[in-house]
Amino acid sequence: MTVLSTALDTLRGRAGELLFERVAGPDGPRNRDAIHNTPGPRWFPQDSPVRRVHGDSAMFIGGLTALLLQSLHPVAMAAVSAHSGFRGDPWGRLQRTSTFLATTTYGTADSAQSACERVKGVHARIHGVTDEGLAYRASDPHLLEWVHVAETDSFLRAHQRFGAHPLTAGECSRYVADMARVAEALGVPSPPRSAQALSARLQEYRAELRCTPQARETTRYLLLRPPIPVLALPLYGALAANAVALLPRWATSELNLPRWTPGERFMLIPAGRAVTGLIGWAMRRPETDGRS
């Protein structure tokens, strides 16, 4: 049993290192040490819902859901297509995003604010015109809020379905309020602060959302041509299929993606829970074992 336990620990450690390197990049260990070990006040206390949600492997599904949902805003998608390294450097974009989330969630208040200021600086330089002749600015509060509410809704949906410890109704609203703190620092003037307000705000965007050629291409890229090793495709397939199943029905209809409720309930969701559980097992650091 000791030999088996040692072998499993070694396997877990190696798998976790490889996955962490993909998600966090070559500077991941250094950034993690700075984020978690630099002394100073934080935006969010240890027991805050945002820490629980963002530290759970359900984020792997929630992140994919957010990208699919965000693609339905034509103006936001035009800006991403023209200026983002989404396809040219997908892992780099993922690493920058994961570092931003980790910094604002767990880092010092100063580092969280600095991270937001850097993003605002990037947004200030991004502007253009859509294929339909509409001018856009990445710093537009309305577009920023769309990205925010799509992310918040997707992360929360994923956690409630696949998270190790789902939130209570009150904690869900606290999570939305936590995320509002980050949104305000990025330039969203009045983000939703409760689960009910989040749902209502998302609904308010419905009239602006539709599937464009850029949205279809993004969907194909994420679901059919992901930049991952062949051996990882079955696991990614389970994550991607569950990301689709997590979308609101109207969103899958817009994107023309199939849904089969019985299959989701009895096959797809259990597979998603198994894969996120495996990811959580692999990425759990030995020194955190046994902690909540």
Side-chain angles (χ1 to χ4, degrees):
M1 180 65 77
T2 302
V3 174
L4 178 59
S5 177
T6 301
L8 285 174
D9 283 344
T10 300
L11 175 63
R12 181 180 74 175
R14 183 56 181 153
E17 287 173 3
L18 290 173
L19 189 55
F20 181 73
E21 183 179 351
R22 278 290 193 178
V23 173
D27 294 330
R30 179 176 59 81
N31 290 335
R32 179 172 59 190
D33 181 69
I35 289 168
H36 292 279
N37 296 327
T38 300
R42 264 68 178 167
W43 278 356
F44 309 111
Q46 289 282 351
D47 62 348
S48 59
V50 71
R51 283 177 168 244
R52 192 193 308 177
V53 173
H54 293 178
D56 196 285
S57 55
M59 286 287 284
F60 282 82
I61 294 178
L64 282 171
T65 300
L67 291 174
L68 293 169
L69 185 58
Q70 288 167 353
S71 75
L72 285 172
H73 197 292
V75 180
M77 197 65 244
V80 169
S81 297
H83 301 279
S84 172
F86 182 44
R87 294 182 182 83
D89 183 24
W91 289 109
R93 188 171 188 265
L94 172 63
Q95 290 156 9
R96 291 188 293 274
T97 300
S98 67
T99 301
F100 174 82
L101 283 171
T103 301
T104 52
T105 303
Y106 306 103
T108 64
D110 286 344
S111 61
Q113 185 64 46
S114 295
C116 290
E117 292 301 326
R118 285 192 296 273
V119 171
K120 288 173 68 176
V122 173
H123 287 166
R125 300 190 294 270
I126 295 176
H127 55 85
V129 179
T130 70
D131 292 341
E132 297 174 341
L134 295 174
Y136 64 79
R137 295 176 294 107
S139 58
D140 179 355
H142 187 69
L143 291 183
L144 289 174
E145 185 174 40
W146 163 246
V147 172
H148 167 71
V149 296
E151 281 186 350
T152 303
D153 182 75
S154 298
F155 294 167
L156 186 55
R157 281 172 178 260
H159 188 81
Q160 293 304 91
R161 179 171 292 182
F162 301 104
H165 303 287
L167 306 180
T168 65
E171 288 172 333
C172 286
S173 284
R174 284 177 56 200
Y175 173 72
V176 176
D178 287 344
M179 289 292 280
R181 173 70 179 84
V182 181
E184 285 182 326
L186 288 172
V188 179
S190 184
R193 295 185 174 277
S194 70
Q196 294 79 9
L198 174 66
S199 180
R201 195 70 55 87
L202 194 62
Q203 186 68 24
E204 289 172 7
Y205 278 91
R206 282 286 306 276
E208 303 173 36
L209 307 180
R210 58 186 174 83
C211 186
T212 61
Q214 292 98 330
R216 283 191 290 272
E217 178 58 28
T218 296
T219 300
R220 285 194 293 267
Y221 179 80
L222 290 172
L223 302 182
L224 303 177
R225 302 195 302 271
I228 61 174
V230 173
L231 291 177
L233 283 175
L235 296 179
Y236 182 85
L239 296 176
N242 274 285
V244 171
L246 202 62
L247 286 165
R249 288 278 175 180
W250 55 263
T252 51
S253 178
E254 282 286 348
L255 291 169
N256 197 28
L257 295 172
R259 296 285 294 269
W260 183 43
T261 302
E264 291 176 9
R265 181 179 303 171
F266 297 110
M267 293 182 289
L268 198 58
I269 292 174
R273 288 174 177 155
V275 173
T276 53
L278 181 62
I279 292 172
W281 172 81
M283 297 194 72
R284 189 170 69 243
R285 301 173 69 188
E287 62 267 30
T288 65
D289 286 358
R291 300 182 190 179
S292 57

